[in-house]
Amino acid sequence: RTAAVSAGWVALYQALRWAKQHELLEGKIEMTRVAAVSAGIWQGQTLLDLTYEEDSSSEFDLNLVFNDRGEIIEVQGTAEHAPIAPEKLQQLVALGFRGVNRIMEEQQKCVESMR
């Protein structure tokens, strides 16, 4: 799901660029970049971008969506087996933010390669 959000932004940008090239849109294309990532605690380890197996047996899992201004668009998380301390949640959000920034770097490379 998080990969679909991140890749979906690139696909939307590409579609708008195509529409502009074919004179279906006027003006400059300006879009706030959006990317998403999962983070969680699995077997006591804090992980980024959980696999299905890790997610399905995690102690806590979190999906995060950020924009390119570092603002949170969505947070969805669940303590699967036991509650976690607020500090752990803050660590997961910080880890997710770093991961999303890396994804946005890749999005930028994709957008630049389309020019």
Side-chain angles (χ1 to χ4, degrees), residues 3-77:
V5 170
S6 299
W9 182 88
V10 174
L12 178 60
Y13 185 92
Q14 186 175 18
L16 291 174
R17 186 175 166 275
W18 178 90
K20 183 169 173 45
Q21 287 174 337
H22 290 84
E23 299 178 1
L24 300 171
L25 288 177
E26 294 181 15
K28 185 178 179 184
I29 299 173
E30 292 188 38
M31 292 176 41
T32 299
R33 185 167 299 132
V34 174
V37 72
S38 65
I41 302 171
W42 179 74
Q43 296 184 352
Q45 297 179 328
T46 302
L47 302 175
L48 182 66
D49 194 23
L50 282 72
T51 65
Y52 173 79
E53 292 78 18
E54 293 163 345
D55 183 72
S56 62
S57 62
S58 67
E59 299 156 42
F60 189 90
D61 64 277
L62 185 65
N63 293 318
L64 298 158
V65 182
F66 289 90
N67 66 22
D68 56 9
R69 292 187 297 271
E71 299 168 324
I72 298 171
I73 295 171
E74 180 179 338
V75 175
Q76 181 274 319

